[in-house]
């Protein structure tokens, strides 16, 4: 079983829509969680950390459910510039981060 | 502000050839990583280093070697390239792991024929 699993999508949504997706992780000892964004043929970049209490950063909301071992990302009022692949990242409490394969979001005009 | 620089950005090799990918960071980061990214597989860790002079194996280390002789540089070597090593290679560095913020280079696209 992969350490981090994501629905690859793609999620095709119109501008202004809300889109949400999850990722699951297998290591219950994982301590920290993150979402990265990767544009086509570019390097990944940190989008936001995911805190136990949930957190928002503008139009982006991240949630953590430790009991069910999943994290989620919700994007409100989608913009064309939100089109990207979103990588779920988990720190299983060592020096290495585990990356999911990514969820592709395409926002159409 | 250069950040993380990878060279070369593109390379085509024949099976059996060797090459070295260079990663350089100017942020004085302790941790450095080499990942490969393949369609549908996500980023997979090849090797990593927690400081100058140290290296450790990641998830997919076979066929690769690394060295970290200087804090700012992390080299990835392919001794005898195979078509299965065709991939996009990303180097990353971080100051500490708890923040989860890795700074990535732009990637190196390697094709092995």
């Amino acid at each position: 079983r992969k350490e981090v699993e994501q629905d690859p999508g793609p999620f095709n949504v119109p501008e202004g829509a809300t889109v949400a997706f999850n990722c699951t992780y297998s290591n219950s000892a994982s301590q920290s969680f993150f979402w990265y964004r990767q544009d086509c043929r570019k390097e990944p970049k940190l989008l936001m950390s995911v805190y136990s209490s949930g957190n928002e950063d503008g139009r982006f909301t991240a949630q953590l459910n430790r009991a069910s071992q999943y994290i989620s990302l919700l994007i409100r009022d989608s913009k064309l510039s939100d089109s990207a692949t979103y990588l779920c990242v988990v720190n299983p409490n060592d020096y290495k981060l585990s990356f999911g394969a990514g969820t592709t979001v395409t926002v159409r005009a | 502000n250069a950040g993380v620089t990878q060279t070369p950005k593109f390379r085509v090799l024949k099976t059996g050839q060797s090459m070295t990918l260079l990663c350089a960071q100017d942020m004085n980061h302790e941790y450095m990583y080499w990942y490969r990214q393949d369609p549908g597989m996500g980023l997979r860790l090849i090797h990593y280093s927690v400081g100058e002079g140290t290296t450790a194996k990641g998830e997919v280390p076979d066929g690769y070697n690394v060295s970290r002789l200087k804090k700012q540089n992390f080299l990835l070597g392919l001794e005898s390239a195979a078509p299965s090593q065709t991939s996009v290679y990303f180097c990353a560095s971080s100051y500490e792991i708890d923040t989860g913020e890795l700074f990535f280079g732009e990637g190196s696209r390697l094709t092995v024929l």
Side-chain angles (χ1 to χ4, degrees), chain A residues 14-41:
Chain A
E15 269 189 298
T18 295
V19 59
F21 41 89
N22 297 336
C23 96
T24 58
Y25 60 95
S26 60
N27 187 340
S28 60
S30 298
Q31 293 298 312
S32 46
F33 310 87
F34 314 92
W35 284 103
Y36 272 67
R37 170 193 171 124
Q38 186 173 24
D39 294 313
C40 188
R41 302 178 74 84

Side-chain angles (χ1 to χ4, degrees), chain A residues 32-36 46 48-50 71 87-89, chain B residues 98-100:
Chain A
S32 46
F33 310 87
F34 314 92
W35 284 103
Y36 272 67
L46 179 65
M48 62 194 299
S49 302
V50 185
I71 68 174
L87 307 177
C88 174
V89 182
Chain B
D98 289 348
T99 63

Side-chain angles (χ1 to χ4, degrees), chain B residues 24-106:
Chain B
Q25 53 97 0
D26 61 2
M27 296 172 283
N28 202 34
H29 286 169
E30 290 292 339
Y31 304 103
M32 296 189 73
Y33 308 84
W34 274 107
Y35 289 89
R36 60 177 289 175
Q37 187 173 37
D38 303 292
M41 300 292 290
L43 285 156
R44 291 183 293 168
L45 183 64
I46 304 171
H47 286 280
Y48 66 102
S49 168
V50 301
E52 180 179 309
T54 74
T55 62
K57 293 181 180 179
E59 183 185 353
V60 288
D62 294 343
Y64 305 95
N65 56 74
V66 287
S67 65
R68 182 111 181 257
L69 298 179
K70 293 183 178 180
K71 186 177 184 179
Q72 63 268 34
N73 296 336
F74 196 27
L75 278 64
L76 178 71
L78 285 72
E79 289 186 348
S80 179
S84 60
Q85 294 178 304
T86 293
S87 188
V88 179
Y89 291 85
F90 285 102
C91 176
S93 72
S94 68
Y95 177 68
E96 56 182 19
I97 197 64
D98 289 348
T99 63
E101 185 159 23
L102 297 185
F103 294 84
F104 284 86
E106 294 182 336

Side-chain angles (χ1 to χ4, degrees), chain A residues 79-95:
Chain A
K79 311 292 185 190
L80 294 176
S81 57
D82 294 334
S83 296
T85 296
Y86 293 86
L87 307 177
C88 174
V89 182
V90 174
N91 177 9
N93 206 27
D94 60 16
Y95 295 115

